[in-house]
Amino acid sequence: MFGRDPWGGTLEISNADSATDDDRSRDLDRGALMRHQLDETQQSWLLAGPGDQAGKKKKKYVDIGCMVIDRKIFLWTVGTILGVGLFIGFVMMIVKLVPHKKPPPPPPDQYTQALHKALMFFNAQRSGPLPKHNGVSWRGNSGMKDGLSDSTARKSLVGGFYDAGDAIKFNFPMAWSMTMLSWTVIEYKAKYEAIGELDHVKEVIKWGTDYILKTFNSSADTIDRIVAQVGVGDTSKGPMPNDHYCWMRPEDIDYKRPVIECHSCSDLAAEMAAALASASIVFKDNKKYSDKLVHGAKALYKFGRLQRGRYSPNGSDQSLFYNSTSYWDEFVWGGAWMYFATGNTSYLTIATAPGMAKHAGAFWLGSPNYGVFTWDDKLPGSQVLLSRLRLFLSPGYPYEEILRTFHNQTDNVMCSYLPQFESFNFTKGGLIQLNHGRPQPLQYVVNAAFLASLYADYLDTADTPGWYCGPHFFKTDVLRKFAKSQIDYILGNNPQKMSYVVGFGKKYPKRVHHRGASIPHNGVKYGCKGGFKWRESKKANPNILVGAMVAGPDRHDGFKDIRTNYNYTEPTLAANAGLIAALISLADIDTGRTAIDKNTIFSAVPPMFPTPPPPPSAWKP
């Protein structure tokens, strides 16, 4: 069947024309669209068809400048980084906030361990009302009527320290002991602080200086007497109760304790002045107390200079136990400390006067005891102390010549300690015989060890590598080696394989010559003779006198642990002061500073402007 085409052709209807109107419409639409430029989204829609488009979401992208990244990948990456960062931060916060154990510090060396114990000996020797924290359970209040019951003194002399195994208060060695302890605090304060003993040693010093201030009129500018000792020990006049005849605990003493005063005692006065002057530097942070010490020291030194004489005249009780051979060395020693405490050059002028040095024995090089530093002879310590002044301040004229002499003599003393120069003998075990084989050697040994170790620290701080003994040069380590060898001997490296410091090491003296330590603390009062059974007992002391250094071995390195033989087993205040000085100087304690405190000792010394020496005399033809 044909129809007419309105545009001039026939309209033919066939099977090909049987497609539905929808199909023709879709074909026409596709044809029309193909004639236009399609964007990417439209093309993908067309290619996929409407069925595919409905099941697939449109992808999103993020342009980060240098590249285009799928948004999902971008978000996942950023989230991962942030999460890891937060986790690391959280872990670090926990590490910082949660307390964690520090590695334990290295164990203290043997010198530090021994030092803790040696200081306790002073607690055991206290007289008077004991503080609650004294730490010696078998000691109690004692000497509570000292001075008050004496018709001469008629004032309180309560306090201070008992000297040894008895209950006598000898002011001469006690004052020297306080001077020595103060010297160590001035030099090694940081060490004491690092091991927690600074407050303890200062308390010990103050216990002594408080008592010294009671032994004279410390509020006066001028004095005419001082107390030399409390209690007596002379037993040559027959049996009578006193501090040597009786064997009693100090807490049980019921006999009279005489007070001995002196009116011309330059040695004692100058030593007491040194004790107060040196302590005033230790307590300079307490101005009121420091000024009180300085005021008392001035009065004492003035008294000693004006009223010449030895404190221990022949036949006196003092001369039997702590006899002073002269007072010139105390003038040098005390004058040096007075200068450091006050900055007044008049004291330095006295201490450095050539005549004073001559009288003190500074030029007695041939003397068998030259260089032996003791409670009696302070010259070696004075020379080291004044060498310090030359090394660090160098005051120049008019002091330089004598200070150089003292410095040279100090070098000579250090040389005498070395075995190759044979100034002193040594035992087979290695102990130097500063007292030439006589009993009770250790008190001299510890003082020498201290001076050697301290002088080595002085030289190191002054950037001086050593010193000369004639043409031979020795490094400072040689001094320390000597000092350590002697203290090591005392602490156990000896033929007896025992420590001579009670309570230190596995083996030490058990029968110390000491009344308080030998009598049980059982509430029973034993009278003057009642304690003899404890003195004669073969048993070990019931109370351990911790930190006490006994008198020491004989010249053959032999030792007898016998209570009745004080030449072996008696400790003393002065000996323990020297021991503490040696131990603190040798203790290996990291303070982050130089070994010594270079400046504190000079805190009262004003800036020095040396006086120029006088011009040479005019030339004459």
Side-chain angles (χ1 to χ4, degrees):
M1 183 176 180
F2 297 92
R4 179 158 300 269
D5 183 356
W7 285 281
T10 59
L11 181 59
E12 182 178 2
I13 300 174
S14 64
N15 290 334
D17 294 330
S18 64
T20 64
D21 291 339
D22 288 339
D23 291 335
R24 284 194 294 268
S25 174
R26 185 182 303 156
D27 291 339
L28 288 174
D29 289 342
R30 287 185 180 178
L33 288 172
M34 289 298 291
R35 288 192 295 266
H36 300 282
Q37 189 173 1
L38 303 177
D39 59 29
E40 183 180 352
T41 303
Q42 292 170 326
Q43 292 178 23
S44 64
W45 181 84
L46 288 173
L47 292 173
D52 293 338
Q53 184 68 9
K56 197 171 187 181
K57 292 184 178 180
K58 176 181 176 184
K59 284 189 176 182
K60 296 183 180 180
Y61 297 86
V62 176
D63 187 350
I64 61 173
C66 57
M67 64 178 66
V68 178
I69 304 176
D70 186 280
R71 185 179 179 186
K72 286 185 178 181
I73 297 175
F74 175 76
L75 292 175
W76 183 88
T77 303
V78 171
T80 302
I81 294 173
L82 289 174
V84 171
L86 288 172
F87 176 76
I88 293 174
F90 179 71
V91 171
M92 292 178 66
M93 182 178 67
I94 291 176
V95 170
K96 288 186 177 182
L97 294 180
V98 174
H100 52 282
K101 292 184 179 180
K102 295 182 179 179
D109 63 357
Q110 66 169 351
Y111 307 123
T112 304
Q113 294 176 42
L115 177 63
H116 289 302
K117 296 182 181 297
L119 280 168
M120 288 303 298
F121 174 72
F122 283 85
N123 291 35
Q125 296 302 103
R126 280 176 169 159
S127 177
L130 301 184
K132 293 181 180 179
H133 59 275
N134 193 51
V136 183
S137 61
W138 46 272
R139 281 300 323 279
N141 298 343
S142 62
M144 299 299 289
K145 295 181 180 180
D146 283 353
L148 296 171
S149 59
D150 184 84
S151 58
T152 302
R154 292 182 180 177
K155 64 177 181 179
S156 174
L157 293 171
V158 175
F161 296 95
Y162 300 127
D163 175 67
D166 50 36
I168 303 176
K169 294 190 286 196
F170 290 107
N171 290 0
F172 193 50
M174 187 196 305
W176 184 81
S177 301
M178 296 304 104
T179 309
M180 286 291 287
L181 291 181
S182 291
W183 194 3
T184 68
V185 174
I186 293 167
E187 302 286 9
Y188 299 107
K189 179 181 178 181
K191 282 188 175 184
Y192 277 116
E193 196 167 20
I195 63 173
E197 289 286 8
L198 181 59
D199 290 340
H200 184 188
V201 70
K202 288 176 70 174
E203 183 186 17
V204 168
I205 294 168
K206 192 174 185 299
W207 192 270
T209 53
D210 282 350
Y211 169 75
I212 291 174
L213 289 170
K214 292 182 176 182
T215 61
F216 67 102
N217 186 359
S218 59
S219 61
D221 295 331
T222 303
I223 59 176
D224 63 354
R225 70 188 68 188
I226 54 179
V227 172
Q229 74 182 57
V230 177
V232 294
D234 185 6
T235 59
S236 64
K237 298 175 183 178
M240 93 174 35
N242 69 21
D243 291 287
H244 277 183
Y245 178 77
C246 297
W247 194 267
M248 300 176 68
R249 298 176 67 246
E251 293 80 0
D252 298 333
I253 289 174
D254 53 8
Y255 51 78
K256 292 183 179 180
R257 287 167 54 79
V259 174
I260 299 176
E261 289 186 336
C262 62
H263 298 268
S264 57
C265 36
S266 302
D267 36 21
L268 176 59
E271 181 54 68
M272 290 168 62
L276 298 186
S278 57
S280 75
I281 302 173
V282 172
F283 294 102
K284 66 184 181 69
D285 55 341
N286 183 346
K287 189 176 186 305
K288 184 178 179 180
Y289 189 64
S290 182
D291 290 346
K292 185 177 182 179
L293 294 173
V294 169
H295 184 270
K298 289 179 178 178
L300 285 166
Y301 198 74
K302 179 182 176 181
F303 168 69
R305 293 282 294 154
L306 292 176
Q307 304 296 328
R308 301 291 179 91
R310 292 188 302 118
Y311 99 105
S312 54
N314 294 336
S316 65
D317 201 82
Q318 308 91 283
S319 66
L320 297 177
F321 306 104
Y322 286 99
N323 184 50
S324 173
T325 52
S326 80
Y327 49 75
W328 301 103
D329 56 308
E330 277 84 18
F331 280 161
V332 178
W333 174 249
W337 281 114
M338 290 300 297
Y339 172 64
F340 290 133
T342 66
N344 188 332
T345 55
S346 65
Y347 295 113
L348 183 60
T349 300
I350 295 173
T352 57
M356 191 75 71
K358 181 179 178 181
H359 284 302
F363 311 113
W364 299 350
L365 300 183
S367 170
N369 295 321
Y370 184 82
V372 182
F373 184 35
T374 71
W375 50 262
D376 178 33
D377 187 0
K378 283 88 176 184
L379 179 64
S382 303
Q383 291 175 328
V384 171
L385 192 61
L386 290 169
S387 296
R388 186 194 213 285
L389 177 65
R390 183 173 187 257
L391 283 168
F392 300 124
L393 284 192
S394 187
Y397 181 85
Y399 312 107
E400 171 58 23
E401 185 175 351
I402 189 65
L403 290 181
R404 183 172 63 247
T405 299
F406 284 152
H407 195 169
N408 290 337
Q409 297 301 340
T410 296
D411 285 347
N412 290 337
V413 169
M414 298 302 149
C415 299
S416 73
Y417 295 155
L418 306 184
Q420 54 263 53
F421 294 104
E422 299 181 347
S423 299
F424 298 97
N425 293 326
F426 285 75
T427 68
K428 289 183 179 180
L431 187 70
I432 190 170
Q433 295 290 282
L434 293 167
N435 64 336
H436 308 288
R438 292 189 291 271
Q440 306 175 29
L442 297 187
Q443 60 179 315
Y444 309 104
V445 173
V446 290
N447 295 340
F450 169 62
L451 291 187
S453 179
L454 177 66
Y455 190 56
D457 286 338
Y458 284 173
L459 294 178
D460 285 347
T461 306
D463 294 325
T464 304
W467 86 107
Y468 279 95
C469 295
H472 307 286
F473 182 80
F474 293 92
K475 293 184 178 180
T476 54
D477 285 346
V478 174
L479 287 177
R480 290 195 183 88
K481 183 179 179 182
F482 161 76
K484 288 182 177 181
S485 70
Q486 300 306 298
I487 302 303
D488 289 350
Y489 181 103
I490 293 170
L491 296 182
N493 187 17
N494 55 61
Q496 297 293 328
K497 301 301 179 186
M498 73 179 300
S499 162
Y500 291 113
V501 177
V502 177
F504 180 84
K506 295 182 179 179
K507 182 182 178 183
Y508 51 81
K510 300 295 195 330
R511 299 162 187 84
V512 182
H513 182 92
H514 191 275
R515 288 158 175 78
S518 66
I519 300 176
H521 179 53
N522 56 9
V524 178
K525 179 179 178 178
Y526 299 94
C528 176
K529 294 184 178 181
F532 282 9
K533 64 178 180 180
W534 304 113
R535 185 186 68 178
E536 304 299 328
S537 172
K538 305 294 184 183
K539 295 181 180 179
N541 287 350
N543 307 309
I544 299 177
L545 188 62
V546 174
M549 183 181 74
V550 296
D554 57 33
R555 60 181 178 174
H556 303 296
D557 298 307
F559 181 79
K560 296 179 180 180
D561 190 6
I562 302 174
R563 188 178 298 107
T564 53
N565 193 331
Y566 58 85
N567 282 329
Y568 286 111
T569 59
E570 186 171 29
T572 65
L573 211 64
N576 254 68
L579 172 66
I580 288 170
L583 290 172
I584 191 65
S585 68
L586 290 172
D588 184 15
I589 303 167
D590 184 12
T591 63
R593 312 172 191 174
T594 56
I596 62 163
D597 183 336
K598 182 178 177 180
N599 299 314
T600 295
I601 198 171
F602 302 128
S603 56
V605 176
M608 304 191 77
F609 302 99
T611 305
S617 56
W619 180 81
K620 295 181 179 180

